[in-house]
């Protein structure tokens, strides 16, 4: 039975499309936010890397200034002694102002033929002076002075800057162009050979009586740490001397972890004093983790929460709208069926009354007239009972709905209630053989129940057995256990399909028999079930289509 049945629809039809659209919108926004964050990161990376490049160029300019200043110092005097140079460097307050400069030095070209005379001259002030390492080069470019004249720097005195390829290349460039030049990666000779540090040397040259040069030597690590102010950079920087990144050309690595295959980097090439440098930048681990995923994750979570909320709200709204319209439809259907059910017996009563009125005056024989009255009154009584039951059922339904269906228990005997019900229904039993059900009475069938309600249960099962029993025999059996009393009502009628065995106890369920024209509201078994539950009992059905049904009620003697 469709009307007023519990709504079985769900939010699937309405809610899921809303959720799907919400999810798609969320994904779109998440993607958009991811792309924005990534591009913002690229911009920031670009900006930060530019700042770093500027810092490097600015500092290198300062070092060049220093070299030019040194050249000026040399040009201003005819001959500069080691002492004067030491004094000059001391005045520069290098330790305080430029602790990153490992050494500032001065060197000259010495042709191989001039070496002995050159050595003689220098050994007057520095007895242990020598040119090293020994090479077959025609021209040598030994370091003459080197300050601060500390233990480490003393090791480099006399070192021939042309004896090593990268120094030679940078120095040649300085002589050739007259401009400041910087070397590729070198290892400073000041350092212990077992602990080499990558370094850089900045050269400037000029031609006096012979070609001369000045230079500042740096340990790359100290140089760049100073340039970056020892600060925590937002980026990780790797600096390579040359155009190809490799461990050989790597001169500085900010985080100390070389990442040769990292594709997530920004590369920038710069040219400093005639030398190419490659800088690789990547967001530092902390910045990367924070920025790239945080915002999209937040957008996704918030978006999905909203999508679910809208899904719920939309689902609930749609559900209540649908439930409301279904309820209205069911109410109209119920009113139409209930009116029909009430009208049928009323019309019959009206017909009987008219027939009595019309025919009674025509019948002269008083016995025949009495019989006519009696017949019509019997019929009217049956119809009135049917009407009464319908109205009672409808009242009970409203009582059950408002939890007002109450029971007044007393000690009663099931067999007695059964007898009274059979007696009351005797006219309706006329359709079955023997005009009465076959009853097998059990013993000890008393219990504490609401007599009126148990009568209602039995009456309902008996009238159903008559209605759906196809005029075949009806058997009623009562029995008992020490704690329970059972009553079963068996007919041999149309039977009930298995899929309805549970459903027939629902409100307004008619097990699909509407079309067969057997009248009813689908309320009787529902009310019966409720009453039995109020007594703590059970009701079950055994039935096969076309073979009949047996309804079994079991009640505890005291509940
Ligand atoms: P109604 O008889 O007014 O339809 P009920 O609640 O008493 O309402 O019964 C519900 C449905 O259960 C009936 O419509 C009918 O399909 C089925 N039914 C009840 N009793 C029997 C029976 N004895 N034999 C076959 N079907 C039955």
């Amino acid at each position: 039975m469709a009307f007023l049945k519990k709504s079985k629809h769900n939010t699937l039809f309405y809610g899921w499309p809303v959720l799907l659209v919400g999810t798609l919108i969320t994904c779109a926004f998440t993607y958009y936010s991811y792309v924005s964050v990534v591009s913002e990161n690229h911009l920031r990376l670009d900006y930060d890397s530019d700042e770093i490049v500027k810092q490097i160029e600015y500092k290198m300019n300062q070092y060049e200034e220093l070299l030019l200043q040194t050249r000026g110092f040399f040009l201003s005097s005819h001959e500069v002694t080691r002492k004067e140079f030491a004094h000059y460097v001391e005045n520069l307050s290098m330790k305080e102002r430029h602790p990153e400069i490992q050494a500032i030095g001065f060197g000259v070209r010495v042709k191989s033929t001039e070496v002995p005379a050159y050595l003689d001259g220098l050994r007057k002030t520095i007895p242990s002076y020598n040119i090293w390492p020994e090479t077959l080069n025609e021209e040598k470019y030994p370091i003459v002075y080197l300050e601060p004249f500390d233990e480490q720097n003393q090791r480099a005195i006399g070192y021939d800057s042309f004896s090593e390829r990268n120094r030679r290349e940078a120095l040649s460039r300085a002589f050739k162009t007259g401009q400041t030049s910087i070397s590729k990666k070198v290892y400073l000779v000041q350092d212990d050979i077992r602990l080499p540090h990558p370094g850089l040397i900045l050269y400037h040259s000029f031609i006096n009586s012979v070609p001369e040069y000045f230079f500042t030597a740096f340990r790359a690590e100290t140089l760049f740490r100073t340039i970056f102010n020892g600060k925590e950079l937002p980026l990780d920087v790797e600096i390579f001397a040359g155009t190809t990144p490799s461990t050989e050309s790597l001169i500085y690595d900010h985080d100390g972890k070389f990442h040769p295959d990292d594709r997530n980097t920004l590369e920038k090439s710069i040219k400093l004093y005639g030398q190419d440098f490659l800088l690789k930048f990547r967001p530092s681990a902390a910045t990367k983790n924070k920025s790239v995923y945080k915002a999209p994750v937040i957008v996704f979570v918030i978006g999905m929460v909203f999508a679910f909320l809208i899904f719920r709200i939309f689902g609930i709204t749609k559900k209540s709208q649908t439930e409301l319209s279904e309820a209205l439809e069911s109410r109209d259907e119920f009113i139409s069926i209930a009116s029909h059910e009430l009208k049928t017996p009323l019309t019959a009563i009206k017909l009987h009354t008219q027939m009595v009125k019309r025919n009674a005056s025509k019948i002269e024989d008083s016995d025949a007239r009495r019989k006519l009255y009696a017949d019509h009154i019997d019929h009217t009584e049956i119809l009135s009972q049917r009407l009464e039951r319908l109205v009672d059922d409808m009242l009970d339904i409203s009582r059950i709905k408002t939890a007002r269906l109450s029971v007044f228990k007393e000690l009663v005997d099931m067999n007695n209630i059964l007898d009274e019900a059979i007696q009351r229904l005797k006219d309706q039993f006329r359709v079955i053989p023997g005009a009465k059900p076959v009853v097998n009475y059990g013993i000890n069938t008393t219990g504490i129940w609401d007599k009126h309600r148990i009568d209602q249960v039995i009456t309902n099962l008996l009238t159903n057995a008559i209605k759906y029993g196809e005029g075949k025999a009806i058997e009623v059996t009562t029995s008992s256990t020490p704690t329970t009393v059972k009553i079963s009502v068996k007919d041999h009628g149309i039977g009930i399909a298995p899929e309805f065995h549970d459903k027939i106890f629902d409100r307004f369920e008619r097990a699909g028999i509407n079309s067969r024209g057997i009248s009813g509201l689908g309320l009787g078994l529902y009310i019966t079930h409720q009453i039995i539950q109020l007594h703590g009992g059970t009701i079950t059905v055994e039935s096969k289509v076309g073979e009949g049904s047996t309804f079994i009620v079991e009640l505890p003697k005291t509940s």
Side-chain angles (χ1 to χ4, degrees):
M1 185 90 176
F3 66 91
L4 274 188
K5 283 193 52 64
K6 255 191 222 161
S7 169
K8 289 279 191 292
H9 73 85
N10 52 41
T11 57
L12 190 111
F13 183 70
Y14 304 103
W16 289 113
V18 172
L19 185 63
L20 183 72
V21 171
T23 308
L24 288 177
I25 292 173
T26 303
C27 288
F29 272 103
T30 306
Y31 178 71
Y32 175 75
S33 116
Y34 175 76
V35 170
S36 326
V37 171
V38 167
S39 75
E40 192 193 308
N41 273 4
H42 269 106
L43 282 176
R44 197 183 303 146
L45 189 67
D46 201 29
Y47 175 80
D48 289 343
S49 59
D50 271 355
E51 288 297 301
I52 287 173
V53 169
K54 273 188 217 154
Q55 264 172 282
I56 296 173
E57 287 171 343
Y58 173 75
K59 269 289 191 183
M60 292 315 274
N61 279 345
Q62 285 190 345
Y63 304 135
E64 187 188 25
E65 286 294 321
L66 198 67
L67 282 185
L68 294 175
Q69 191 183 323
T70 309
R71 187 184 68 167
F73 168 68
F74 270 76
L75 284 174
S76 63
S77 79
H78 174 62
E79 197 184 1
V80 177
T81 63
R82 197 188 74 75
K83 235 176 166 180
E84 283 167 338
F85 184 64
H87 191 61
Y88 162 76
V89 174
E90 205 180 311
N91 276 335
L92 293 176
S93 310
M94 268 190 21
K95 275 221 166 90
E96 295 74 43
R97 290 175 59 203
H98 293 295
E100 72 279 18
I101 298 178
Q102 171 63 33
I104 178 161
F106 161 70
V108 290
R109 189 201 66 190
V110 181
K111 290 197 170 163
S112 54
T113 49
E114 299 161 356
V115 171
Y118 169 76
L119 287 178
D120 281 351
L122 262 180
R123 281 177 182 163
K124 284 179 191 145
T125 45
I126 313 169
S128 59
Y129 188 88
N130 207 359
I131 297 176
W132 65 283
E134 278 191 21
T135 62
L136 297 172
N137 293 347
E138 266 300 296
E139 292 187 333
K140 299 174 192 301
Y141 287 81
I143 297 172
V144 183
Y145 302 144
L146 196 63
E147 291 295 333
F149 198 63
D150 56 24
E151 205 188 321
Q152 281 190 331
N153 283 340
Q154 281 176 38
R155 283 187 210 149
I157 297 286
Y159 178 74
D160 176 6
S161 297
F162 247 47
S163 63
E164 190 269 327
R165 196 186 52 179
N166 288 349
R167 287 175 176 83
R168 185 168 61 241
E169 188 196 83
L171 198 46
S172 306
R173 198 167 61 241
F175 279 120
K176 204 159 122 196
T177 59
Q179 305 286 319
T180 305
S181 80
I182 197 165
S183 69
K184 279 190 182 156
K185 179 176 173 177
V186 296
Y187 290 101
L188 299 185
V189 291
Q190 284 92 330
D191 284 330
D192 189 331
I193 203 155
R194 288 161 301 179
L195 271 176
H197 293 286
L200 289 173
I201 303 178
L202 194 65
Y203 290 104
H204 194 80
S205 70
F206 77 99
I207 312 287
N208 208 349
S209 51
V210 289
E212 297 177 346
Y213 65 95
F214 309 96
F215 64 93
T216 45
F218 305 92
R219 282 203 189 111
E221 172 76 15
T222 324
L223 169 69
F224 290 110
R225 288 252 166 246
T226 310
I227 291 179
F228 302 141
N229 248 339
K231 273 191 280 178
E232 186 59 43
L233 292 181
L235 308 176
D236 177 32
V237 193
E238 283 163 6
I239 303 175
F240 302 88
T243 47
T244 44
S246 68
T247 38
E248 285 72 45
S249 59
L250 180 70
I251 51 169
Y252 177 73
D253 185 354
H254 191 71
D255 73 353
K257 293 175 215 145
F258 181 41
H259 309 262
D261 301 322
D262 195 340
R263 279 176 293 144
N264 190 22
T265 54
L266 176 70
E267 291 190 2
K268 281 194 176 168
S269 294
I270 57 169
K271 207 170 188 93
L272 276 177
Y273 305 112
Q275 173 60 47
D276 288 312
F277 287 89
L278 180 74
L279 287 86
K280 282 177 93 175
F281 302 94
R282 79 176 60 74
S284 64
T287 352
K288 194 165 142 190
N289 288 346
K290 258 189 246 155
S291 54
V292 179
Y293 300 111
K294 205 171 163 190
V297 165
I298 292 173
V299 169
F300 184 77
V301 170
I302 293 179
M304 286 314 290
V305 166
F306 268 105
F308 270 107
L309 280 178
I310 295 168
F311 163 71
R312 290 292 303 150
I313 293 165
F314 196 86
I316 288 164
T317 315
K318 279 292 177 189
K319 193 176 164 184
S320 29
Q321 276 176 8
T322 317
E323 270 177 355
L324 184 66
S325 66
E326 276 186 15
L328 287 174
E329 253 173 52
S330 301
R331 186 197 62 183
D332 294 346
E333 198 181 345
F334 173 71
I335 290 172
S336 134
I337 292 178
S339 323
H340 176 78
E341 289 295 312
L342 292 171
K343 191 143 192 226
T344 312
L346 272 177
T347 313
I349 291 172
K350 204 168 135 195
L351 273 175
H352 279 290
T353 323
Q354 284 169 354
M355 272 164 69
V356 172
K357 226 168 119 186
R358 205 178 318 132
N359 298 338
S361 55
K362 293 180 194 157
I363 300 172
E364 286 178 9
D365 177 32
S366 58
D367 280 346
R369 205 161 46 228
R370 220 174 288 123
K371 191 172 174 314
L372 176 78
Y373 281 138
D375 279 354
H376 284 301
I377 285 168
D378 282 351
H379 269 108
T380 311
E381 201 182 352
I382 291 170
L383 291 165
S384 309
Q385 279 172 2
R386 197 168 133 198
L387 261 179
E388 194 185 5
R389 239 188 8 262
L390 276 171
V391 174
D392 281 348
D393 279 357
M394 280 153 65
L395 284 173
D396 281 345
I397 283 294
S398 98
R399 285 188 193 113
I400 290 168
K401 267 214 108 172
T402 54
R404 282 187 292 113
L405 189 74
S406 47
V407 286
F408 303 98
K409 292 178 187 168
E410 56 189 315
L411 188 66
V412 283
D413 191 333
M414 180 74 80
N415 288 342
N416 293 344
I417 304 174
L418 175 64
D419 280 342
E420 281 172 28
I422 292 172
Q423 182 57 32
R424 202 171 49 252
L425 296 174
K426 65 178 189 306
D427 293 329
Q428 294 182 39
F429 280 122
R430 281 196 197 126
V431 292
I432 66 165
K436 248 187 180 189
V438 178
V439 183
N440 302 305
Y441 293 103
I443 54 164
N444 296 331
T445 53
T446 48
I448 298 176
W449 308 307
D450 183 319
K451 187 182 171 207
H452 168 70
R453 292 294 177 193
I454 299 302
D455 177 86
Q456 207 177 336
V457 167
I458 295 172
T459 306
N460 186 45
L461 295 181
L462 290 175
T463 44
N464 276 354
I466 298 165
K467 264 201 304 192
Y468 306 108
E470 294 186 312
K472 296 177 190 159
I474 295 169
E475 292 131 46
V476 184
T477 308
T478 58
S479 62
S480 70
T481 69
T483 52
T484 60
V485 176
K486 219 188 237 183
I487 177 167
S488 66
V489 180
K490 181 175 181 159
D491 66 62
H492 300 273
I494 61 172
I496 303 162
E499 66 268 26
F500 292 113
H501 285 191
D502 287 334
K503 289 186 185 169
I504 49 173
F505 301 104
D506 287 349
R507 223 164 21 138
F508 305 111
E509 179 60 60
R510 297 217 63 213
I513 62 144
N514 274 336
S515 51
R516 296 203 192 186
I518 304 175
S519 66
L521 287 176
L523 292 177
L525 286 180
Y526 172 70
I527 296 166
T528 298
H529 189 214
Q530 298 292 321
I531 293 170
I532 292 165
Q533 274 189 334
L534 280 174
H535 285 82
T538 56
I539 178 165
T540 50
V541 63
E542 291 164 5
S543 179
K544 273 191 182 157
V545 175
E547 290 183 19
S549 314
T550 306
F551 283 85
I552 304 146
V553 174
E554 188 163 24
L555 294 175
K557 285 183 173 170
T558 52
S559 53

